[in-house]
Amino acid sequence: MVWTPLHDRLHQTLRSRSLVGRSQRLLLAVSGGQDSLALWRLCLDLQPQWGWDLGIVHCDHRWRSDSAANAHQVQTLAQGWGTPCMVVVASTALPSEAAARQWRYQVFGHQAQTQGYGAVLTGHTASDRAETLLHNLMRGSGADGLGSLPWRRDLEPGLPLVRPLLNWTRQETGAFCRDFQLPVWEDSTNGDRRYGRNRLRLDVLPLLKQHFNPQVERHLSQTAELIHADVVYLEAQAQALRLQVQQHTALHRPPLQAAPLALQRRVMRQFLQAQLPQAPTFAHIEKAVALITAPHRSQTDPFPGGAIACVDQDWIRLHHPNGPTFRTVL
Ligand SMILES: Nc1ncnc2c1ncn2[C@@H]1O[C@H](COP(=O)(O)OP(=O)(O)OP(=O)(O)O)[C@@H](O)[C@H]1O
């Protein structure tokens, strides 16, 4: 085996960030593309030092006509490399990219739990993180969306999802695969400009690199990392405040009035998220936040599902359409 500075980088990253432990059973999510293939090869090379027990999972979404061939190539490689491999085929056609992603993560969690793996690893890179940041920036998603793709998060309680290649660019995983002659599966939809993510990758990021900063992917990825830490802190602060002010479906206003706007918004979002049938939008949260300082008897328009928030002296009360107090509001 050849030990390169890239092997060293992964080894150091895993250690310094405590991403995985020694002798763990690790499930690698392998699409067959360059990023997850590089991760798989690197983990196999690091395995003797770490004592891991490695397995891979591949999801066949049955989206593309060549998806079975893709799965077959991953399976063949797994046999050659001696890695246990699970291929899971979607039973129904998945309607969108988002549905496919949701199904994939469910599969990862289920396979890891039923097969006794302690963590799931994906091949996300700094380039993916930069794309996600730009994509979410344009959707107006706020800090939480900009700080997405952390190094480690819980996929299920007690089952971490780890992304060890976040300090690699796609260019680097590509070069690694070429150097080691790894059989990369070229996804036939990667060049399809009907997908926004592809336009970001093929058109926008190369332009930014050429005209602004050749290191733009790394820099955007670092920005996402900084924002993520801020978001984790703010969410924890907001949760502590919400627990202090919330009683069932009501919020006590005076402590909220004394809190900064950043926390007011987060408390309101956490509160509405738990109460409404769908995630609150920016406009919903802003309307509810306005009630923190509004006069007695002020109220919002109905939220999705019909609930209304109104001011009752020092309290904001959320009245659900079928709840006991709803009629008194009307
Ligand atoms: N079909 C698949 N089977 C197994 N793993 C996959 C599959 N597709 C993607 N992955 C895993 O997810 C990683 C990211 O892939 P990709 O960027 O295509 O997904 P994504 O939809 O953008 O995911 P995310 O929403 O998490 O950003 C891959 O490196 C790989 O580890």
Side-chain angles (χ1 to χ4, degrees):
M1 189 211 81
V2 186
W3 185 268
T4 66
L6 297 174
H7 289 80
D8 208 46
R9 189 197 301 176
L10 179 61
H11 179 71
Q12 299 301 343
T13 302
L14 293 174
R15 252 197 359 197
S16 62
R17 293 183 177 273
S18 305
L19 293 180
V20 295
R22 292 190 183 275
S23 310
Q24 262 197 301
R25 275 170 63 73
L26 303 179
L27 184 63
L28 311 181
V30 174
S31 63
Q34 62 177 51
D35 303 333
S36 50
L37 213 54
L39 176 68
W40 181 9
R41 186 62 255 166
L42 284 158
C43 285
L44 282 174
D45 293 346
L46 265 59
Q47 189 178 24
Q49 283 201 31
W50 286 79
W52 295 316
D53 190 0
L54 298 176
I56 64 166
V57 57
H58 173 84
C59 295
D60 178 352
H61 302 100
R62 289 174 45 203
W63 251 10
R64 296 176 264 119
S65 53
D66 58 356
S67 74
N70 180 355
H72 186 253
Q73 175 161 310
V74 171
Q75 258 172 329
T76 308
L77 194 60
Q79 274 166 10
W81 285 357
T83 313
C85 171
M86 289 163 261
V87 172
V88 182
V89 184
S91 53
T92 51
L94 295 153
S96 65
E97 249 189 304
R101 181 179 300 133
Q102 200 186 0
W103 172 73
R104 195 160 67 229
Y105 281 102
Q106 266 169 14
V107 169
F108 297 163
H110 179 75
Q111 293 297 329
Q113 282 181 327
T114 53
Q115 312 279 329
Y117 287 95
V120 176
L121 273 60
T122 62
H124 288 100
T125 60
S127 311
D128 291 314
R129 221 184 193 185
E131 274 166 28
T132 305
L133 184 142
L134 285 178
H135 180 74
N136 288 342
L137 186 62
M138 288 184 292
R139 289 171 54 219
S141 68
D144 296 37
L146 304 186
S148 58
L149 293 193
W151 288 90
R152 195 180 146 111
R153 73 165 169 90
D154 271 355
L155 187 56
E156 312 267 349
L159 177 70
L161 173 78
V162 179
R163 300 180 170 111
L165 297 189
L166 285 180
N167 53 1
W168 291 55
T169 60
R170 186 169 292 125
Q171 227 173 336
E172 287 176 313
T173 57
F176 181 86
C177 290
R178 276 192 300 281
D179 289 351
F180 286 83
Q181 297 178 343
L182 306 185
V184 173
W185 185 269
E186 295 297 347
D187 183 334
S188 50
T189 62
N190 273 352
D192 188 340
R193 284 184 163 78
R194 280 175 301 176
Y195 298 109
R197 289 296 286 259
N198 289 349
R199 293 198 298 277
L200 279 174
R201 194 179 63 251
L202 298 170
D203 301 329
V204 178
L205 276 164
L207 263 177
L208 294 178
K209 264 193 227 174
Q210 191 188 343
H211 294 294
F212 291 91
N213 190 325
Q215 295 295 318
V216 69
E217 286 173 338
R218 272 191 205 290
H219 292 168
L220 289 175
S221 177
Q222 279 164 14
T223 302
E225 181 148 0
L226 293 171
I227 294 174
H228 177 70
D230 292 352
V231 165
V232 169
Y233 171 75
L234 285 170
E235 271 300 283
Q237 294 292 313
Q239 193 180 359
L241 178 59
R242 183 174 56 76
L243 292 176
Q244 186 195 327
V245 301
Q246 182 174 356
Q247 268 186 25
H248 306 291
T249 55
L251 298 173
H252 195 215
R253 295 203 301 164
L256 286 173
Q257 286 161 355
L261 180 59
L263 291 187
Q264 292 178 344
R265 284 190 172 128
R266 283 180 185 276
V267 167
M268 227 27 118
R269 192 182 54 181
Q270 289 180 5
F271 175 69
L272 292 177
Q273 215 147 26
Q275 300 286 335
L276 303 183
Q278 67 189 61
T281 62
F282 177 75
H284 297 143
I285 296 167
E286 291 305 282
K287 281 179 188 166
V289 165
L291 297 188
I292 294 173
T293 50
H296 177 54
R297 290 185 184 282
S298 306
Q299 66 179 52
T300 62
D301 311 327
F303 293 113
I308 289 175
C310 42
V311 177
D312 174 8
Q313 308 290 1
D314 272 352
W315 292 86
I316 297 170
R317 298 191 192 281
L318 191 71
H319 298 282
H320 288 280
N322 300 319
T325 50
F326 190 64
R327 259 160 267 114
T328 64
V329 177
L330 295 176

CSV table of all heavy atoms in Angstrom, one decimal, residues 14-64:
chain,number,residue,atom,x,y,z
A,14,LEU,N,-9.3,12.7,11.4
A,14,LEU,CA,-10.2,11.8,12.2
A,14,LEU,C,-9.7,11.9,13.6
A,14,LEU,O,-10.6,11.9,14.5
A,14,LEU,CB,-10.0,10.4,11.7
A,14,LEU,CG,-10.6,10.1,10.3
A,14,LEU,CD1,-10.3,8.7,9.8
A,14,LEU,CD2,-12.1,10.3,10.3
A,15,ARG,N,-8.4,12.0,13.8
A,15,ARG,CA,-7.9,12.0,15.2
A,15,ARG,C,-8.2,13.4,15.9
A,15,ARG,O,-8.8,13.4,17.0
A,15,ARG,CB,-6.4,11.8,15.2
A,15,ARG,CG,-6.1,10.5,15.7
A,15,ARG,CD,-4.7,10.2,16.1
A,15,ARG,NE,-3.7,11.3,15.9
A,15,ARG,CZ,-2.4,11.2,15.9
A,15,ARG,NH1,-1.9,10.0,16.1
A,15,ARG,NH2,-1.6,12.2,15.8
A,16,SER,N,-7.8,14.5,15.2
A,16,SER,CA,-7.9,15.8,15.8
A,16,SER,C,-9.4,16.2,16.1
A,16,SER,O,-9.7,16.9,17.0
A,16,SER,CB,-7.2,16.8,15.0
A,16,SER,OG,-7.8,17.0,13.8
A,17,ARG,N,-10.3,15.7,15.2
A,17,ARG,CA,-11.7,16.1,15.4
A,17,ARG,C,-12.5,15.0,16.1
A,17,ARG,O,-13.7,15.2,16.2
A,17,ARG,CB,-12.3,16.4,14.0
A,17,ARG,CG,-11.7,17.6,13.3
A,17,ARG,CD,-12.5,17.9,12.0
A,17,ARG,NE,-12.0,19.1,11.4
A,17,ARG,CZ,-12.4,20.3,11.7
A,17,ARG,NH1,-13.4,20.5,12.5
A,17,ARG,NH2,-11.9,21.4,11.1
A,18,SER,N,-11.8,14.0,16.5
A,18,SER,CA,-12.5,12.9,17.2
A,18,SER,C,-13.7,12.4,16.4
A,18,SER,O,-14.8,12.3,17.0
A,18,SER,CB,-12.9,13.2,18.6
A,18,SER,OG,-11.8,13.7,19.3
A,19,LEU,N,-13.6,12.2,15.2
A,19,LEU,CA,-14.7,11.9,14.3
A,19,LEU,C,-15.2,10.4,14.5
A,19,LEU,O,-16.4,10.1,14.5
A,19,LEU,CB,-14.4,12.2,12.9
A,19,LEU,CG,-14.2,13.6,12.5
A,19,LEU,CD1,-13.9,13.8,11.0
A,19,LEU,CD2,-15.4,14.5,12.9
A,20,VAL,N,-14.2,9.5,14.6
A,20,VAL,CA,-14.5,8.1,14.8
A,20,VAL,C,-13.5,7.6,15.8
A,20,VAL,O,-12.4,8.2,16.0
A,20,VAL,CB,-14.4,7.3,13.5
A,20,VAL,CG1,-15.5,7.7,12.5
A,20,VAL,CG2,-13.1,7.4,12.9
A,21,GLY,N,-13.8,6.4,16.3
A,21,GLY,CA,-12.9,5.8,17.3
A,21,GLY,C,-12.1,4.6,16.7
A,21,GLY,O,-12.4,4.2,15.5
A,22,ARG,N,-11.2,4.1,17.4
A,22,ARG,CA,-10.5,2.9,17.0
A,22,ARG,C,-11.4,1.7,17.2
A,22,ARG,O,-12.3,1.7,18.0
A,22,ARG,CB,-9.2,2.7,17.9
A,22,ARG,CG,-8.2,3.7,17.7
A,22,ARG,CD,-6.8,3.5,18.3
A,22,ARG,NE,-6.0,4.6,18.0
A,22,ARG,CZ,-5.3,4.8,16.9
A,22,ARG,NH1,-5.3,3.8,16.0
A,22,ARG,NH2,-4.6,5.9,16.7
A,23,SER,N,-11.1,0.7,16.4
A,23,SER,CA,-11.8,-0.6,16.4
A,23,SER,C,-13.4,-0.5,16.3
A,23,SER,O,-14.1,-1.3,16.7
A,23,SER,CB,-11.6,-1.3,17.8
A,23,SER,OG,-10.2,-1.4,18.0
A,24,GLN,N,-13.8,0.6,15.6
A,24,GLN,CA,-15.3,0.8,15.4
A,24,GLN,C,-15.7,0.0,14.2
A,24,GLN,O,-14.9,-0.2,13.3
A,24,GLN,CB,-15.6,2.2,15.2
A,24,GLN,CG,-16.1,2.9,16.5
A,24,GLN,CD,-16.7,4.3,16.1
A,24,GLN,OE1,-16.1,5.1,15.5
A,24,GLN,NE2,-18.0,4.4,16.5
A,25,ARG,N,-17.0,-0.3,14.2
A,25,ARG,CA,-17.6,-0.8,13.0
A,25,ARG,C,-18.2,0.3,12.2
A,25,ARG,O,-19.1,1.1,12.7
A,25,ARG,CB,-18.8,-1.8,13.3
A,25,ARG,CG,-18.2,-3.2,13.6
A,25,ARG,CD,-19.3,-4.2,14.1
A,25,ARG,NE,-20.5,-4.4,13.2
A,25,ARG,CZ,-20.5,-5.1,12.1
A,25,ARG,NH1,-19.4,-5.7,11.7
A,25,ARG,NH2,-21.6,-5.3,11.4
A,26,LEU,N,-17.6,0.6,11.0
A,26,LEU,CA,-18.0,1.8,10.3
A,26,LEU,C,-18.7,1.4,9.0
A,26,LEU,O,-18.2,0.5,8.2
A,26,LEU,CB,-16.8,2.6,9.9
A,26,LEU,CG,-15.9,3.1,11.1
A,26,LEU,CD1,-14.7,3.9,10.5
A,26,LEU,CD2,-16.7,3.9,12.1
A,27,LEU,N,-19.8,2.0,8.7
A,27,LEU,CA,-20.6,1.8,7.5
A,27,LEU,C,-20.3,3.0,6.5
A,27,LEU,O,-20.7,4.1,6.8
A,27,LEU,CB,-22.1,1.7,7.8
A,27,LEU,CG,-23.0,1.3,6.6
A,27,LEU,CD1,-22.6,-0.1,6.0
A,27,LEU,CD2,-24.4,1.3,7.0
A,28,LEU,N,-19.7,2.7,5.3
A,28,LEU,CA,-19.4,3.8,4.4
A,28,LEU,C,-20.6,3.8,3.3
A,28,LEU,O,-20.9,2.8,2.8
A,28,LEU,CB,-18.1,3.5,3.7
A,28,LEU,CG,-16.9,3.2,4.5
A,28,LEU,CD1,-15.7,3.0,3.6
A,28,LEU,CD2,-16.6,4.3,5.5
A,29,ALA,N,-21.1,5.0,3.1
A,29,ALA,CA,-22.1,5.2,2.1
A,29,ALA,C,-21.4,5.4,0.8
A,29,ALA,O,-20.8,6.5,0.6
A,29,ALA,CB,-23.0,6.4,2.4
A,30,VAL,N,-21.5,4.5,-0.2
A,30,VAL,CA,-20.8,4.6,-1.4
A,30,VAL,C,-21.7,4.7,-2.6
A,30,VAL,O,-22.5,3.7,-2.9
A,30,VAL,CB,-19.8,3.4,-1.6
A,30,VAL,CG1,-19.1,3.4,-2.9
A,30,VAL,CG2,-18.8,3.4,-0.4
A,31,SER,N,-21.6,5.8,-3.3
A,31,SER,CA,-22.5,5.9,-4.5
A,31,SER,C,-21.7,5.3,-5.7
A,31,SER,O,-22.3,5.0,-6.7
A,31,SER,CB,-22.7,7.4,-4.8
A,31,SER,OG,-21.5,8.1,-5.0
A,32,GLY,N,-20.4,5.3,-5.6
A,32,GLY,CA,-19.6,4.8,-6.7
A,32,GLY,C,-18.9,6.0,-7.4
A,32,GLY,O,-18.0,5.8,-8.2
A,33,GLY,N,-19.3,7.2,-7.0
A,33,GLY,CA,-18.7,8.4,-7.6
A,33,GLY,C,-17.3,8.7,-6.9
A,33,GLY,O,-16.9,8.0,-6.0
A,34,GLN,N,-16.6,9.7,-7.4
A,34,GLN,CA,-15.2,9.9,-7.0
A,34,GLN,C,-15.0,10.1,-5.5
A,34,GLN,O,-14.1,9.7,-4.9
A,34,GLN,CB,-14.5,11.0,-7.8
A,34,GLN,CG,-15.2,12.3,-7.6
A,34,GLN,CD,-14.4,13.4,-8.4
A,34,GLN,OE1,-14.2,13.2,-9.6
A,34,GLN,NE2,-14.1,14.5,-7.7
A,35,ASP,N,-16.0,10.9,-4.9
A,35,ASP,CA,-15.8,11.2,-3.5
A,35,ASP,C,-15.9,10.0,-2.5
A,35,ASP,O,-15.0,9.8,-1.7
A,35,ASP,CB,-16.8,12.3,-3.0
A,35,ASP,CG,-16.7,13.5,-3.9
A,35,ASP,OD1,-15.6,13.8,-4.5
A,35,ASP,OD2,-17.7,14.2,-4.0
A,36,SER,N,-17.0,9.3,-2.7
A,36,SER,CA,-17.2,8.1,-1.8
A,36,SER,C,-16.2,7.0,-2.1
A,36,SER,O,-15.8,6.2,-1.2
A,36,SER,CB,-18.6,7.6,-1.8
A,36,SER,OG,-19.1,7.4,-3.1
A,37,LEU,N,-15.8,6.9,-3.4
A,37,LEU,CA,-14.8,5.9,-3.8
A,37,LEU,C,-13.4,6.2,-3.1
A,37,LEU,O,-12.8,5.3,-2.6
A,37,LEU,CB,-14.6,5.9,-5.3
A,37,LEU,CG,-14.4,4.5,-5.9
A,37,LEU,CD1,-15.4,3.5,-5.5
A,37,LEU,CD2,-14.3,4.6,-7.4
A,38,ALA,N,-13.1,7.5,-3.2
A,38,ALA,CA,-11.8,7.9,-2.5
A,38,ALA,C,-11.9,7.6,-1.0
A,38,ALA,O,-10.9,7.1,-0.4
A,38,ALA,CB,-11.5,9.4,-2.8
A,39,LEU,N,-13.0,7.9,-0.4
A,39,LEU,CA,-13.2,7.7,1.0
A,39,LEU,C,-13.0,6.2,1.4
A,39,LEU,O,-12.3,5.8,2.3
A,39,LEU,CB,-14.6,8.2,1.5
A,39,LEU,CG,-14.9,7.9,2.9
A,39,LEU,CD1,-14.0,8.8,3.9
A,39,LEU,CD2,-16.4,8.2,3.2
A,40,TRP,N,-13.6,5.4,0.6
A,40,TRP,CA,-13.6,3.9,0.8
A,40,TRP,C,-12.1,3.4,0.7
A,40,TRP,O,-11.7,2.7,1.6
A,40,TRP,CB,-14.5,3.3,-0.3
A,40,TRP,CG,-14.6,1.8,-0.3
A,40,TRP,CD1,-14.2,0.9,0.7
A,40,TRP,CD2,-15.3,1.0,-1.3
A,40,TRP,NE1,-14.6,-0.3,0.3
A,40,TRP,CE2,-15.2,-0.3,-0.9
A,40,TRP,CE3,-15.9,1.3,-2.5
A,40,TRP,CZ2,-15.8,-1.4,-1.6
A,40,TRP,CZ3,-16.4,0.3,-3.3
A,40,TRP,CH2,-16.4,-1.0,-2.8
A,41,ARG,N,-11.5,3.8,-0.4
A,41,ARG,CA,-10.1,3.4,-0.5
A,41,ARG,C,-9.2,3.8,0.6
A,41,ARG,O,-8.4,3.1,1.2
A,41,ARG,CB,-9.5,3.9,-1.9
A,41,ARG,CG,-8.2,3.4,-2.3
A,41,ARG,CD,-8.1,1.9,-2.5
A,41,ARG,NE,-7.4,1.2,-1.4
A,41,ARG,CZ,-7.4,-0.1,-1.2
A,41,ARG,NH1,-8.1,-0.9,-1.9
A,41,ARG,NH2,-6.8,-0.6,-0.2
A,42,LEU,N,-9.4,5.1,1.0
A,42,LEU,CA,-8.6,5.7,2.1
A,42,LEU,C,-8.8,5.0,3.4
A,42,LEU,O,-7.9,4.7,4.1
A,42,LEU,CB,-8.9,7.2,2.2
A,42,LEU,CG,-8.3,8.1,1.2
A,42,LEU,CD1,-9.1,9.4,1.1
A,42,LEU,CD2,-6.8,8.4,1.5
A,43,CYS,N,-10.1,4.7,3.7
A,43,CYS,CA,-10.4,4.0,4.9
A,43,CYS,C,-9.9,2.6,4.9
A,43,CYS,O,-9.4,2.1,6.0
A,43,CYS,CB,-12.0,4.0,5.1
A,43,CYS,SG,-12.6,5.5,5.6
A,44,LEU,N,-9.9,1.9,3.8
A,44,LEU,CA,-9.3,0.6,3.7
A,44,LEU,C,-7.8,0.7,4.0
A,44,LEU,O,-7.2,-0.2,4.7
A,44,LEU,CB,-9.5,-0.1,2.3
A,44,LEU,CG,-10.9,-0.6,2.1
A,44,LEU,CD1,-11.0,-1.1,0.6
A,44,LEU,CD2,-11.1,-1.8,3.0
A,45,ASP,N,-7.1,1.7,3.5
A,45,ASP,CA,-5.7,1.9,3.7
A,45,ASP,C,-5.4,2.2,5.2
A,45,ASP,O,-4.3,1.8,5.7
A,45,ASP,CB,-5.1,2.9,2.8
A,45,ASP,CG,-5.2,2.5,1.3
A,45,ASP,OD1,-5.4,1.3,1.1
A,45,ASP,OD2,-5.1,3.4,0.4
A,46,LEU,N,-6.3,2.9,5.8
A,46,LEU,CA,-6.1,3.3,7.2
A,46,LEU,C,-6.5,2.2,8.2
A,46,LEU,O,-6.2,2.3,9.4
A,46,LEU,CB,-6.9,4.6,7.6
A,46,LEU,CG,-6.1,5.9,7.5
A,46,LEU,CD1,-5.6,6.2,6.1
A,46,LEU,CD2,-7.1,7.1,7.8
A,47,GLN,N,-7.3,1.3,7.7
A,47,GLN,CA,-7.9,0.2,8.6
A,47,GLN,C,-6.9,-0.5,9.5
A,47,GLN,O,-7.1,-0.7,10.7
A,47,GLN,CB,-8.6,-0.8,7.7
A,47,GLN,CG,-9.5,-1.8,8.4
A,47,GLN,CD,-10.2,-2.7,7.4
A,47,GLN,OE1,-9.7,-2.9,6.3
A,47,GLN,NE2,-11.3,-3.2,7.9
A,48,PRO,N,-5.7,-0.9,9.0
A,48,PRO,CA,-4.8,-1.6,9.9
A,48,PRO,C,-4.4,-0.8,11.1
A,48,PRO,O,-4.2,-1.3,12.2
A,48,PRO,CB,-3.6,-1.9,9.0
A,48,PRO,CG,-4.1,-1.8,7.6
A,48,PRO,CD,-5.2,-0.8,7.6
A,49,GLN,N,-4.2,0.5,10.9
A,49,GLN,CA,-3.8,1.4,12.0
A,49,GLN,C,-5.0,1.6,13.0
A,49,GLN,O,-4.8,1.7,14.2
A,49,GLN,CB,-3.4,2.7,11.5
A,49,GLN,CG,-2.1,2.8,10.9
A,49,GLN,CD,-1.6,4.2,10.9
A,49,GLN,OE1,-1.9,5.0,11.8
A,49,GLN,NE2,-0.7,4.5,9.9
A,50,TRP,N,-6.2,1.6,12.5
A,50,TRP,CA,-7.3,2.0,13.4
A,50,TRP,C,-8.1,0.7,13.9
A,50,TRP,O,-8.9,0.8,14.8
A,50,TRP,CB,-8.3,2.9,12.6
A,50,TRP,CG,-7.8,4.3,12.4
A,50,TRP,CD1,-6.9,4.7,11.5
A,50,TRP,CD2,-8.2,5.4,13.2
A,50,TRP,NE1,-6.7,6.1,11.7
A,50,TRP,CE2,-7.5,6.6,12.7
A,50,TRP,CE3,-9.1,5.7,14.2
A,50,TRP,CZ2,-7.6,7.8,13.2
A,50,TRP,CZ3,-9.3,6.9,14.8
A,50,TRP,CH2,-8.5,8.0,14.3
A,51,GLY,N,-7.9,-0.4,13.2
A,51,GLY,CA,-8.6,-1.6,13.6
A,51,GLY,C,-10.1,-1.6,13.3
A,51,GLY,O,-10.8,-2.3,14.1
A,52,TRP,N,-10.5,-0.8,12.3
A,52,TRP,CA,-11.9,-0.8,12.0
A,52,TRP,C,-12.5,-2.1,11.4
A,52,TRP,O,-11.7,-2.8,10.8
A,52,TRP,CB,-12.2,0.3,11.0
A,52,TRP,CG,-12.0,1.7,11.5
A,52,TRP,CD1,-12.2,2.3,12.7
A,52,TRP,CD2,-11.3,2.7,10.6
A,52,TRP,NE1,-11.8,3.6,12.6
A,52,TRP,CE2,-11.3,3.9,11.4
A,52,TRP,CE3,-10.8,2.8,9.4
A,52,TRP,CZ2,-10.7,5.1,11.0
A,52,TRP,CZ3,-10.3,4.0,8.9
A,52,TRP,CH2,-10.2,5.1,9.7
A,53,ASP,N,-13.8,-2.2,11.5
A,53,ASP,CA,-14.5,-3.3,10.8
A,53,ASP,C,-15.4,-2.5,9.8
A,53,ASP,O,-16.3,-1.8,10.2
A,53,ASP,CB,-15.3,-4.0,11.8
A,53,ASP,CG,-16.0,-5.3,11.2
A,53,ASP,OD1,-15.7,-5.5,10.0
A,53,ASP,OD2,-16.7,-6.0,11.9
A,54,LEU,N,-15.0,-2.5,8.5
A,54,LEU,CA,-15.7,-1.7,7.5
A,54,LEU,C,-16.7,-2.4,6.7
A,54,LEU,O,-16.6,-3.6,6.4
A,54,LEU,CB,-14.7,-1.1,6.5
A,54,LEU,CG,-13.6,-0.2,7.1
A,54,LEU,CD1,-12.6,0.2,5.9
A,54,LEU,CD2,-14.2,1.0,7.7
A,55,GLY,N,-17.8,-1.8,6.4
A,55,GLY,CA,-18.8,-2.3,5.4
A,55,GLY,C,-19.3,-1.1,4.6
A,55,GLY,O,-19.1,0.0,4.9
A,56,ILE,N,-19.9,-1.4,3.4
A,56,ILE,CA,-20.4,-0.4,2.6
A,56,ILE,C,-21.9,-0.6,2.3
A,56,ILE,O,-22.4,-1.7,2.3
A,56,ILE,CB,-19.6,-0.1,1.3
A,56,ILE,CG1,-19.8,-1.3,0.4
A,56,ILE,CG2,-18.2,0.2,1.5
A,56,ILE,CD1,-19.3,-1.0,-1.0
A,57,VAL,N,-22.6,0.5,2.1
A,57,VAL,CA,-24.0,0.5,1.7
A,57,VAL,C,-24.1,1.3,0.4
A,57,VAL,O,-23.6,2.4,0.3
A,57,VAL,CB,-24.9,1.0,2.8
A,57,VAL,CG1,-24.6,2.4,3.3
A,57,VAL,CG2,-26.4,0.9,2.4
A,58,HIS,N,-24.8,0.8,-0.6
A,58,HIS,CA,-25.1,1.5,-1.8
A,58,HIS,C,-26.6,1.5,-2.0
A,58,HIS,O,-27.3,0.5,-1.9
A,58,HIS,CB,-24.4,0.9,-3.0
A,58,HIS,CG,-24.8,1.5,-4.3
A,58,HIS,ND1,-24.2,2.6,-4.8
A,58,HIS,CD2,-25.7,1.1,-5.2
A,58,HIS,CE1,-24.7,3.0,-6.0
A,58,HIS,NE2,-25.7,2.1,-6.3
A,59,CYS,N,-27.2,2.7,-2.4
A,59,CYS,CA,-28.6,2.8,-2.6
A,59,CYS,C,-28.8,2.9,-4.1
A,59,CYS,O,-28.3,3.8,-4.8
A,59,CYS,CB,-29.2,4.1,-1.9
A,59,CYS,SG,-29.0,4.0,-0.2
A,60,ASP,N,-29.7,2.1,-4.6
A,60,ASP,CA,-30.1,2.2,-6.0
A,60,ASP,C,-31.5,2.8,-6.1
A,60,ASP,O,-32.5,2.2,-5.7
A,60,ASP,CB,-30.1,0.8,-6.6
A,60,ASP,CG,-30.6,0.8,-8.1
A,60,ASP,OD1,-31.0,1.8,-8.6
A,60,ASP,OD2,-30.5,-0.3,-8.7
A,61,HIS,N,-31.5,4.1,-6.5
A,61,HIS,CA,-32.8,4.8,-6.5
A,61,HIS,C,-33.7,4.5,-7.7
A,61,HIS,O,-34.8,4.9,-7.8
A,61,HIS,CB,-32.5,6.4,-6.6
A,61,HIS,CG,-31.6,6.9,-5.5
A,61,HIS,ND1,-30.3,7.1,-5.6
A,61,HIS,CD2,-32.0,7.2,-4.2
A,61,HIS,CE1,-29.8,7.5,-4.5
A,61,HIS,NE2,-30.8,7.6,-3.6
A,62,ARG,N,-33.1,3.7,-8.6
A,62,ARG,CA,-33.8,3.4,-9.8
A,62,ARG,C,-34.3,4.6,-10.6
A,62,ARG,O,-35.3,4.6,-11.2
A,62,ARG,CB,-35.0,2.4,-9.5
A,62,ARG,CG,-34.5,1.1,-9.1
A,62,ARG,CD,-35.6,0.2,-8.6
A,62,ARG,NE,-36.8,0.2,-9.5
A,62,ARG,CZ,-38.0,-0.1,-9.1
A,62,ARG,NH1,-38.2,-0.5,-7.8
A,62,ARG,NH2,-39.0,-0.1,-9.9
A,63,TRP,N,-33.5,5.6,-10.6
A,63,TRP,CA,-33.8,6.9,-11.2
A,63,TRP,C,-33.3,6.8,-12.7
A,63,TRP,O,-33.9,7.3,-13.6
A,63,TRP,CB,-33.1,8.0,-10.5
A,63,TRP,CG,-34.0,8.9,-9.8
A,63,TRP,CD1,-35.3,8.7,-9.5
A,63,TRP,CD2,-33.6,10.1,-9.2
A,63,TRP,NE1,-35.8,9.7,-8.7
A,63,TRP,CE2,-34.8,10.6,-8.5
A,63,TRP,CE3,-32.5,10.9,-9.1
A,63,TRP,CZ2,-34.8,11.8,-7.8
A,63,TRP,CZ3,-32.5,12.0,-8.4
A,63,TRP,CH2,-33.6,12.5,-7.8
A,64,ARG,N,-32.1,6.3,-12.8
A,64,ARG,CA,-31.4,6.4,-14.1
A,64,ARG,C,-31.4,5.0,-14.7
A,64,ARG,O,-31.5,4.0,-13.9
A,64,ARG,CB,-29.9,6.8,-13.9
A,64,ARG,CG,-29.7,8.1,-13.3
A,64,ARG,CD,-28.2,8.4,-13.1
A,64,ARG,NE,-27.8,8.1,-11.7
A,64,ARG,CZ,-27.0,7.2,-11.3
A,64,ARG,NH1,-26.4,6.4,-12.2
A,64,ARG,NH2,-26.7,7.0,-10.1
